[in-house]
Amino acid sequence: MLVDSHCHLDFPELNADLAGVLSRMHDNGVTHALTISTTLETFPAVRAVAHAHANVWCSAGVHPDERRDGREATLDELVAMARDPRVVAVGETGLDYYRVEGDAEWQRERFRTHIRAARELGKPLVIHTRAAAEDTLRVMREESAAEVGGVMHCFTEAWEVAEGAMELGFHISFSGIVTFKNAKDLKEVARRVPLERMLVETDSPYLAPVPHRGKPNQPAFVRHVAEEIAALRGIAFEDVARATTDNFFGLFRHARPA
Ligand SMILES: [Zn+2]
Ligand SMILES: [Zn+2]
């Protein structure tokens, strides 16, 4: 049993053959997935996938990089979206300064609104951070994100950032990046994060793990992420699978395994 804690099943690369994607999950022992919302515009499609499949849940939120909605989601709007029973998390939200030019105050405001929505509903957060670790942790503290907890998804930051997030009660999720040969520092973080705080994900259709690197990614490949973590820690694959699955259902407590 394995859970892909972060994928984008509404993206055309996966949605075009959703039946195939789900059957390859099944064939690889990936029993459940969390499909992640990135825009207001596409949320209905994300939600529809989760309503159509008992082993798929979804999140509600707007990605920090996304500007295609043309306006900001209000707190009331996010709360209404995330109230849906198939929505088990708020996000993906966070900060991404990688592509931002100039003042990113709009991103920090958007992030704060998501944390407030999560707290209003008591649903955990899915947090994306890139080139913005310090501000991400600062906003999480200022907005009492610890009250709902959540996950730092597709983690690529230094150990100190993992530590800071775990102090706030957050989980750390590793993607296919941990299988890349040049990801030495990240492999070290994956050795150190306590097993009871760890999740695995694909972030598919992006970031396919070795041995599929450069090809389109899919939830079935989360197996390679768990295998790499088991090898790094010198423990059995089954132990990583069991721990990360238990952690998933412990954290996303609105998700009930079918
Ligand atoms: Zn992300
Ligand atoms: Zn994502």
Side-chain angles (χ1 to χ4, degrees):
M1 211 173 160
L2 267 174
V3 183
D4 183 358
S5 71
H6 191 115
C7 57
H8 296 281
L9 297 179
D10 65 307
F11 287 21
E13 296 89 334
L14 294 168
N15 207 262
D17 178 26
L18 193 55
V21 166
L22 294 167
S23 93
R24 286 188 294 278
M25 268 174 64
H26 176 84
D27 294 345
N28 284 276
V30 182
T31 50
H32 301 85
L34 178 55
T35 189
I36 302 290
S37 169
T38 56
T39 71
L40 294 176
E41 190 179 65
T42 54
F43 173 68
V46 173
R47 183 181 165 276
V49 175
H51 275 268
H53 304 280
N55 63 336
V56 178
W57 294 276
C58 70
S59 70
V62 179
H63 191 287
D65 259 351
E66 275 292 349
R67 307 223 75 180
R68 84 178 112 156
D69 294 325
R71 64 184 183 85
E72 286 299 323
T74 65
L75 176 59
D76 286 351
E77 202 169 4
L78 283 172
V79 168
M81 286 159 65
R83 203 183 285 284
D84 186 290
R86 300 297 296 169
V87 173
V88 300
V90 173
E92 56 181 300
T93 183
L95 299 176
D96 190 332
Y97 294 168
Y98 187 69
R99 283 191 198 84
V100 173
E101 280 164 32
D103 184 31
E105 185 54 27
W106 63 271
Q107 262 196 10
R108 291 186 289 272
E109 269 313 304
R110 180 186 290 181
F111 186 22
R112 290 181 194 281
T113 306
H114 279 75
I115 298 173
R116 289 169 194 169
R119 289 179 54 205
E120 194 163 324
L121 291 165
K123 292 189 177 180
L125 288 152
V126 174
I127 295 186
H128 168 114
T129 184
R130 190 174 185 195
E134 205 176 302
D135 279 7
T136 302
L137 288 173
R138 180 173 58 79
V139 172
M140 286 165 70
R141 284 187 203 105
E142 287 172 0
E143 297 291 336
S144 308
E147 199 180 292
V148 286
V151 59
M152 308 302 286
H153 108 88
C154 195
F155 193 80
T156 54
E157 302 292 334
W159 168 251
E160 291 67 32
V161 179
E163 226 176 7
M166 288 190 289
E167 274 164 21
L168 295 173
F170 275 70
H171 288 63
I172 308 294
S173 179
F174 295 95
S175 69
I177 295 177
V178 80
T179 68
F180 296 176
K181 273 202 170 52
N182 57 1
K184 291 216 165 54
D185 294 347
L186 186 62
K187 287 179 196 286
E188 190 50 40
V189 175
R191 259 183 222 113
R192 288 178 72 180
V193 167
L195 211 49
E196 62 270 17
R197 285 305 187 85
M198 190 181 280
L199 296 178
V200 286
E201 66 172 84
T202 58
D203 206 7
S204 54
Y206 308 125
L207 298 169
V210 173
H212 306 285
R213 195 171 175 182
K215 294 192 211 119
N217 198 2
Q218 54 179 310
F221 293 169
V222 79
R223 166 172 282 276
H224 300 293
V225 177
E227 278 167 357
E228 175 70 20
I229 290 169
L232 286 169
R233 300 174 76 107
I235 59 176
F237 164 78
E238 287 73 20
D239 292 338
V240 175
R242 190 179 314 110
T244 54
T245 299
D246 287 351
N247 296 343
F248 179 89
F249 288 110
L251 173 60
F252 299 109
R253 54 198 178 279
H254 296 86
R256 290 272 168 273

